Amino acid sequence: SQKIEQNSEALNIQEGKTATLTCNYTNYSPAYLQWYRQDPGRGPVFLLLIRENEKEKRKERLKVTFDTTLKQSLFHITASQPADSATYLCAPSRDSGGGADGLTFGKGTHLIIQP
Amino acid sequence: DGGITQSPKYLFRKEGQNVTLSCEQNLNHDAMYWYRQDPGQGLRLIYYSQIVNDFQKGDIAEGYSVSREKKESFPLTVTSAQKNPTAFYLCATTSPGRSYEQYFGPGTRLTVT
C-alpha cells in the first residue's frame, strides 16, 4: 500500500537558521507532490507544488526538491522566523493525473522556530 | 469573499445518532473532497466528487455517506455505523486549472459521546 513518512518528532530550529523537512514515499509514483502548512485547529493551506519532471521549486523563503529516484521530497525554509512555526504536511498525488482523485497526506512535521 | 464554509465549527452528538456536516463553496470549483484528521495522524480521504451527481469512495468511506446535488454543496453524513466518529473533518475543493492544489475549509470538530 502507499506509504508516506515525515519526521514524526517535532523539529526545533533557531530563528534565522534553515529548517529542512523530509518526506519519503513508497509503493507508488506520484506525478505531483504538494506541501501544506497547518496551524492548530485550522485547515491546511497550500504552499508549493512540484512536478515529477522538476528538480526544485522556490517561492520566497521556501524551496522544495523532488527526487523521484530516491522517492523523497525536501522542504526548506530559509531565514526561519517564529511565525513559521506550524505543522507541515506533504501530499503526493494519489494518481498519475496529479490529484483529481484526492491527495494522500503524511502525518506532518511539527516545526518550532525558537526566538 | 470567495471560499469554503464549514458549519458548525464544533459539533456534539450522542452515540447512535446520525449527523450531517455542511460544506459550501463559492469558488466555482468542480471537485470537492472530505478528509478526516485524527490527532497525530495524516488526513485520510473519506469521499470525493468530481462533478455534480457523482461521487467516489475514498480510503475510509465505511460509516459515511455523501450527496452532490449542487456544485456548491457537498454534505457529509456521519452515520451510527461509523465506529469512531470523533475527529476533525475537513472539506476541500480543487480546480484543475491550478494543478489540483487543494483549498480547505476551516473544518468541523465532531465529538460523539
Side-chain angles (χ1 to χ4, degrees):
Chain A
S1 61
Q2 298 173 349
K3 191 175 177 184
I4 303 166
E5 291 182 354
Q6 294 188 252
N7 313 58
S8 58
E9 295 178 7
L11 185 62
N12 282 272
I13 300 292
Q14 193 169 6
E15 183 177 5
K17 303 290 186 185
T18 295
T20 298
L21 285 63
T22 304
C23 174
N24 295 298
Y25 59 91
T26 55
N27 296 330
Y28 68 128
S29 300
Y32 298 80
L33 190 144
Q34 303 182 25
W35 284 88
Y36 289 78
R37 169 183 172 140
Q38 187 175 26
D39 291 287
R42 302 175 75 99
V45 174
F46 171 78
L47 295 174
L48 279 169
L49 177 148
I50 188 164
R51 295 175 174 79
E52 61 180 338
N53 61 351
E54 298 175 318
K55 294 292 185 189
E56 183 180 296
K57 200 77 163 288
R58 291 176 185 262
K59 178 182 175 183
E60 297 173 352
R61 294 183 296 111
L62 307 180
K63 185 178 85 171
V64 170
T65 63
F66 192 13
D67 189 324
T68 54
T69 301
L70 291 179
K71 292 187 181 290
Q72 180 181 79
S73 175
L74 298 179
F75 177 82
H76 307 271
I77 305 176
T78 58
S80 58
Q81 304 166 0
D84 295 326
S85 299
T87 297
Y88 291 86
L89 309 172
C90 82
S93 59
R94 296 163 57 85
D95 58 276
S96 60
D101 294 345
L103 298 175
T104 301
F105 286 83
K107 294 180 182 180
T109 297
H110 184 44
L111 176 64
I112 301 168
I113 306 299
Q114 309 272 12
Chain B
D1 275 343
I4 301 169
T5 304
Q6 290 187 247
S7 59
K9 179 73 173 172
Y10 299 95
L11 193 53
F12 298 89
R13 281 292 183 272
K14 294 290 188 186
E15 197 173 314
Q17 293 179 336
N18 290 356
V19 59
T20 298
L21 281 58
S22 165
C23 178
E24 303 281 331
Q25 57 108 351
N26 61 6
L27 300 168
N28 199 33
H29 287 172
D30 291 309
M32 298 186 73
Y33 307 81
W34 275 105
Y35 294 90
R36 168 185 172 139
Q37 187 174 35
D38 295 280
Q41 300 292 319
L43 280 70
R44 292 183 289 169
L45 184 65
I46 305 173
Y47 267 99
Y48 64 101
S49 167
Q50 295 185 5
I51 55 172
V52 174
N53 292 322
D54 187 43
F55 48 82
Q56 284 75 41
K57 293 181 180 179
D59 297 321
I60 55 164
E62 185 176 350
Y64 298 98
S65 66
V66 293
S67 62
R68 187 83 188 277
E69 297 176 0
K70 300 186 299 182
K71 187 175 184 177
E72 301 79 18
S73 180
F74 190 39
L76 173 75
T77 297
V78 184
T79 75
S80 56
Q82 167 51 232
K83 291 185 174 61
N84 297 297
T86 295
F88 188 43
Y89 290 87
L90 289 156
C91 176
T93 68
T94 190
S95 172
R98 295 287 295 171
S99 299
Y100 301 112
E101 71 182 69
Q102 303 223 325
Y103 298 81
F104 283 87
T108 291
R109 189 166 298 279
L110 173 66
T111 302
V112 176
T113 57

